[in-house]
Amino acid sequence: MTRRTGAVTRGAIASAGALAAAIALAAPAGAVPGTPGLGPLGTATVHGDIYSTDTIPGVGPGTQTGVRASIPGGTCSSVFVGSDDMPVALCTAYVGTDPLETTPPTVVLLDPATAAPLARMQLEKGALLGGVYGYLDDQDRVVVADGAGVLHAVGHARDSSGAWTLTDEVLADLGPLIRDGDYVTGLAPGVDGRIWFVTVNAVVGTVVPGDPASARTLDLPADAGQPPGERVSNGITVRPGGASVMTSRALYEVDQGEDGQPHIRWRRAYGPGAARHPGMLSHGSGSTPTYFGPHQDDYVAYLDAADQSTLFVLDRASGDVRCAMPAFATTLHPETAAPDGTLIEGPAQSENSPIALASPGGGEWSLIIANTYGFQYFPMAVDGPAVPAQAPYRGGMTSIVTDGSGCTRQWTSNTRTATLPKATTGDRLIHGLSYGDAPDSGVLGDVLTSGIAQKTGPVFYTAIDADTGDEVVRSFVGTAPVDEPMELTGTVAPNIGDGDGPGVYWQGTVGRMLRIGPPAG
């Protein structure tokens, strides 16, 4: 079982001086260099960096978990914080009840001290994930695709009266390159100034902003000689000279030619399972691929979607398997437990990308995976029926350590994290919003953790020690359904005016935007 206390037990979070020392010691170990054209490392992309490590420099709020909140006018799937300390969120409102539908995605600028909305701009409606996978460029502009395939750079500035306004620059119109019924679902900046994109129907491409003739595309399944029908419901992970794309049936490693034309390096099919698992958005893997290694992209990690999910670590250049093992230790397969003996009850799957956190001494990486099996999404968010239709949500998280040649389970936690977790390198903590402890197993426990009942009750900010799995902070921040976490994506940023002190955790919920941390410095 996890250990819980009301305070962080790490000495690195005891004081501002100790925090600064922790940052200085931890930063060199596995730090990902900045990307030209991209905003601040850690807070400018959905997964923290172009390699999708879900790690952020610096530290979290520690025990300074005061909450400021606002109603941004929708559910904010992701939030970025720029070099000017201004948070900007991508939000979508829900309308109607039969059926439940979404409005077009909206860019919302937030006050860094109070979380209050300052300005907003609505984009054209498209696929659900079209308003999720954007990023912040080096001018603190949100780069995002609208429903027509137009790439926007939405900036912010103050007018002569001091009021905040949003500006819009069109970077590219990809509409002519996208078939009817298809939408851009993932975006990422390349290291050469190009923008990578991928569509729902598995078309990957690159484009130079402001130069429509530079666009190059590749239909992944067709080029690999596969039948049509593969879909993409995850982001795209980028590296120098290429990218990694997960479809509903295979992982593709893609190289980029000198003219920007993508080419398939290798394709690796995986087990998708018999149907969509409850707690997954689509029938197939939920992993955005994660790059890691001594040179940041030596290896690529992902999970399949077989009935017993497997974590794979591949050699990025060749596609060869470096190691593979059951992704989770569950009561159905107790032989996969870590030395702590902790097990997750029942089946386990993950809709989230693995966190890749380098060890302090170098040479090893912790791949940390959150269990989402049984999580109940809104009906319009999922692609097809689940089998079974619903299941109890037990949550939990596990850490698998690898040196690129073998894998060993380090720990398992039963904390019921219900957002995409993020790790901070300075304190080696994993941050997220979580439900309370699951009731004891049995009919009553299954009822209270399934369906609508799952989305009622207290919601907590929790921090988990990345090296031990101990839950070291739990702080009440809201109540579902208003603050239902919905597996949304947050970020951790330095506190304005106090960069060496505890950070601020920004996290959207169904109804609010939460600023969790100390008051603005």
Side-chain angles (χ1 to χ4, degrees):
M1 297 297 290
T2 57
R3 171 173 54 84
R4 182 181 309 118
T5 66
V8 177
T9 58
R10 288 183 164 277
I13 309 181
S15 66
L19 284 168
I23 296 171
L25 288 172
V32 180
T35 301
L38 185 63
L41 179 61
T43 60
T45 71
V46 170
H47 290 292
D49 51 54
I50 62 171
Y51 302 112
S52 297
T53 63
D54 286 299
T55 59
I56 299 172
V59 298
T63 57
Q64 301 297 309
T65 53
V67 178
R68 301 297 298 270
S70 68
I71 300 175
T75 297
C76 299
S77 56
S78 51
V79 58
F80 313 111
V81 180
S83 59
D84 60 359
D85 296 319
M86 298 297 292
V88 191
L90 292 175
C91 307
T92 303
Y94 300 103
V95 295
T97 57
D98 188 21
L100 187 63
E101 294 183 345
T102 61
T103 62
T106 301
V107 179
V108 181
L109 180 70
L110 303 165
D111 187 294
T114 68
L118 299 173
R120 52 172 52 88
M121 178 181 291
Q122 193 173 85
L123 305 174
E124 183 168 337
K125 185 176 179 179
L128 177 70
L129 293 178
V132 174
Y133 283 105
Y135 66 90
L136 204 68
D137 71 11
D138 56 0
Q139 300 178 55
D140 296 324
R141 303 179 302 177
V142 175
V143 178
V144 63
D146 69 15
V150 176
L151 302 189
H152 299 263
V154 180
H156 51 269
R158 274 184 156 152
D159 62 21
S160 57
S161 68
W164 286 98
T165 61
L166 297 184
T167 62
D168 183 17
E169 179 184 348
V170 173
L171 300 180
D173 182 1
L174 305 177
L177 305 174
I178 300 173
R179 294 187 291 266
D180 289 344
D182 200 5
Y183 299 95
V184 174
T185 186
L187 287 176
V191 299
D192 61 350
R194 287 179 172 268
I195 296 174
W196 283 83
F197 62 92
V198 65
T199 73
V200 171
N201 289 334
V203 173
V204 66
T206 70
V207 65
V208 176
D211 182 6
S214 69
R216 302 288 185 270
T217 62
L218 177 70
D219 185 314
L220 291 173
D223 193 70
Q226 301 296 314
E230 293 185 29
R231 293 169 64 83
V232 175
S233 60
N234 300 291
I236 182 171
T237 302
V238 176
R239 57 176 170 82
S244 190
V245 179
M246 179 70 72
T247 75
S248 53
R249 293 296 179 270
L251 176 67
Y252 290 82
E253 191 63 30
V254 181
D255 289 336
Q256 176 185 310
E258 291 185 3
D259 62 350
Q261 178 63 46
H263 302 278
I264 296 174
R265 173 180 281 264
W266 49 259
R267 176 186 187 271
R268 184 173 184 83
Y270 65 84
R276 180 175 72 83
H277 301 286
M280 305 290 283
L281 290 171
S282 61
H283 181 193
S285 173
S287 292
T288 295
T290 301
Y291 287 135
F292 68 99
H295 304 97
Q296 317 303 339
D297 63 353
D298 307 77
Y299 315 117
V300 58
Y302 71 98
L303 277 67
D304 69 5
D307 290 341
Q308 183 184 9
S309 179
T310 297
L311 168 73
F312 290 92
V313 174
L314 306 185
D315 182 281
R316 192 269 303 163
S318 67
D320 294 340
V321 177
R322 290 301 190 99
C323 64
M325 66 178 293
F328 296 96
T330 72
T331 54
L332 302 180
H333 300 279
E335 71 279 3
T336 65
D340 62 12
T342 304
L343 298 171
I344 293 172
E345 185 174 348
Q349 298 282 334
S350 186
E351 181 57 37
N352 295 334
S353 177
I355 294 171
L357 180 64
S359 63
E364 291 186 331
W365 293 263
S366 295
L367 300 177
I368 299 161
I369 312 162
N371 171 37
T372 64
Y373 186 88
F375 191 88
Q376 190 82 15
Y377 299 101
F378 287 136
M380 81 294 182
V382 297
D383 187 7
V387 178
Q390 66 178 34
Y393 181 63
R394 303 298 182 189
M397 193 180 297
T398 194
S399 173
I400 294 172
V401 174
T402 180
D403 60 1
S405 61
C407 292
T408 304
R409 193 178 312 282
Q410 186 179 32
W411 52 259
T412 295
S413 163
N414 281 324
T415 296
R416 298 174 68 213
T417 304
T419 58
L420 191 153
K422 294 289 182 67
T424 41
T425 61
D427 52 18
R428 300 186 66 79
L429 294 179
I430 306 164
H431 311 272
L433 296 188
S434 303
Y435 298 132
D437 293 337
D440 292 338
S441 59
V443 175
L444 180 59
D446 288 352
V447 169
L448 293 177
T449 55
S450 300
I452 297 300
Q454 177 195 115
K455 305 195 176 304
T456 59
V459 174
F460 302 89
Y461 159 72
T462 53
I464 294 174
D465 186 312
D467 298 314
T468 66
D470 291 342
E471 184 183 294
V472 294
V473 180
R474 173 174 288 211
S475 179
F476 173 80
V477 295
T479 303
V482 172
D483 284 320
E484 160 60 43
M486 277 306 297
E487 296 292 345
L488 300 170
T489 304
T491 195
V492 181
N495 190 10
I496 55 174
D498 189 17
D500 290 334
V504 174
Y505 176 49
W506 291 90
Q507 178 67 63
T509 68
V510 162
R512 299 199 297 172
M513 173 59 68
L514 305 183
R515 179 196 185 277
I516 301 169

